Amino acid sequence: MPDNRSTQTYAASAASAPPVVAPRKPLVGPQRTGLGILLICATCLIFAIQDGFSRVLGAEYPPIFVVMLRYWAFMIFVLALVSRQPGGLRRAMRTTRPKTQVLRGIVLVVEVVFMVEAFVRLGLVETHAVFAACPMLVAALSGPVLGEKVGWRRWMAVGVGFAGILIILQPGGGVMQIESLLPFAAALMFALYGLLTRHVSRDDPAMVSFFWTAMSGGVAITLIGIWDWQWLAPVDWIWMAGLCLCATAGHYLMIRAYEVAEASALQPFAYTQLVWVTIIGVVAFGEHLRPNVVLGAVIVVAAGIFTLWRAQVKSA
């Protein structure tokens, strides 16, 4: 990938789906930026609905199996997309870092499985509240992983963000369970995935990384998930179709968003996914909006937005 726009975009969390980058240079201008914001907000809504489908299916079937079927649809989408690019499939397969690309795909698909498991055990609201820490984890890990310098302001934001996570999890309240660490582990893996993406972007074009994300992750989850194969109930095929449709539509709209607007203008609006999943979690699944979760989420999001802003200032 040519820059870090995808690793910094919360909505592409593979809580929802792997990050997608724009295949063409963004077209700038106020009207284009407004269109990009509308598209990224629509993307966040679609990914939130997708997460609702994931929770429904994950409660009835092994999350690994659910993610496997979803990745099959993702692989088809990517194959169709790269076939329309210059050089087609042959160009998309050509990478100078095959081992790192495969590792990226495996890390991401494991992260998605963790998220689906967290949806079932913790609910959408608490899972996404903790997962919102991903930009801060990217900042914290960019030093040891990529050798980048992280200033004291971003380190302060990381510390504030972790304080928000502690408020959400309440480790000293006697109610914290091991399941509460699932979304944090997922955020950690997604941050590592993003940093590896920035690493391979030094040599591989964006579409190459996108191709390897889908193919390596799809193959890896198939080798494991196929052993959990079971036929879906008739009504569950509808949920699965909705899941795959949302994944495809979300990816397409995100690509369009980054075609018409700069990543720096879109990144703050990616947090609207947390709003959508909160509404869906409360209305559709009867989740309780605990005060500590609301307070912690506000702190995490504020720290995350500051972290994204500082990263943008440093790269300007």
Side-chain angles (χ1 to χ4, degrees):
M1 296 184 182
D3 55 25
N4 62 353
R5 69 184 65 173
S6 295
T7 66
Q8 293 179 337
T9 301
Y10 166 72
S13 89
S16 301
V20 181
V21 295
R24 297 192 293 271
K25 183 178 180 180
L27 301 174
V28 297
Q31 291 184 339
R32 289 288 184 173
T33 299
L35 176 59
I37 291 172
L38 288 176
L39 288 173
I40 202 66
C41 289
T43 300
C44 292
L45 173 59
I46 291 174
F47 282 154
I49 296 172
Q50 173 190 275
D51 291 343
F53 288 145
S54 294
R55 178 177 174 179
V56 170
L57 291 168
E60 300 295 332
Y61 304 94
I64 291 178
F65 171 67
V66 174
V67 174
M68 180 184 72
L69 295 184
R70 169 177 151 183
Y71 253 79
W72 287 357
F74 179 46
M75 292 167 72
I76 293 173
F77 170 73
V78 171
L79 287 172
L81 183 65
V82 300
S83 65
R84 300 176 56 189
Q85 301 299 312
L89 183 60
R90 180 176 298 180
R91 178 65 188 92
M93 294 174 61
R94 195 178 306 141
T95 174
T96 58
R97 300 179 181 271
K99 293 182 180 179
T100 306
Q101 291 285 15
V102 170
L103 177 61
R104 285 177 58 252
I106 294 175
V107 168
L108 183 62
V109 77
V110 173
E111 179 267 336
V112 176
V113 173
F114 273 37
M115 285 297 287
V116 175
E117 188 69 41
F119 292 155
V120 177
R121 295 176 180 266
L122 301 176
L124 298 176
V125 178
E126 295 195 23
T127 297
H128 273 278
V130 176
F131 189 81
C134 188
M136 293 174 296
L137 291 173
V138 171
L141 294 175
S142 60
V145 175
L146 297 181
E148 297 178 357
K149 182 179 179 181
V150 180
W152 65 269
R153 294 179 182 85
R154 279 196 284 174
W155 276 120
M156 284 187 61
V158 170
V160 170
F162 279 117
I165 293 175
L166 292 177
I167 292 175
I168 296 171
L169 298 181
Q170 290 184 321
V175 295
M176 181 177 175
Q177 300 175 338
I178 191 65
E179 290 86 348
S180 301
L181 298 179
L182 280 171
F184 183 77
L188 187 63
M189 285 187 288
F190 191 67
L192 177 60
Y193 164 81
L195 293 171
L196 290 174
T197 297
R198 284 160 61 175
H199 178 66
V200 298
S201 70
R202 298 168 180 171
D203 300 294
D204 290 341
M207 198 53 64
V208 171
S209 293
F210 192 34
F211 171 82
W212 281 86
T213 296
M215 298 303 129
S216 58
V219 171
I221 194 66
T222 300
L223 292 175
I224 300 175
I226 198 68
W227 303 104
D228 286 321
W229 175 269
Q230 51 188 287
W231 290 104
L232 301 179
V235 68
D236 290 335
W237 281 110
I238 299 176
W239 295 115
M240 181 58 70
L243 174 64
C244 296
L245 180 61
C246 284
T248 303
H251 280 104
Y252 175 76
L253 288 180
M254 184 172 287
I255 290 173
R256 292 289 299 137
Y258 283 113
E259 284 178 351
V260 301
E262 297 287 350
S264 59
L266 301 182
Q267 286 164 5
F269 294 92
Y271 278 103
T272 58
Q273 185 172 349
L274 183 56
V275 177
W276 294 124
V277 297
T278 299
I279 295 173
I280 293 173
V282 172
V283 175
F285 297 99
E287 297 180 13
H288 299 291
L289 204 57
R290 295 187 290 123
N292 66 296
V293 175
V294 176
L295 176 61
V298 170
I299 294 174
V300 170
V301 170
I305 291 176
F306 179 82
T307 302
L308 294 172
W309 175 72
R310 285 300 304 173
Q312 194 65 34
V313 169
K314 295 293 289 185
S315 63

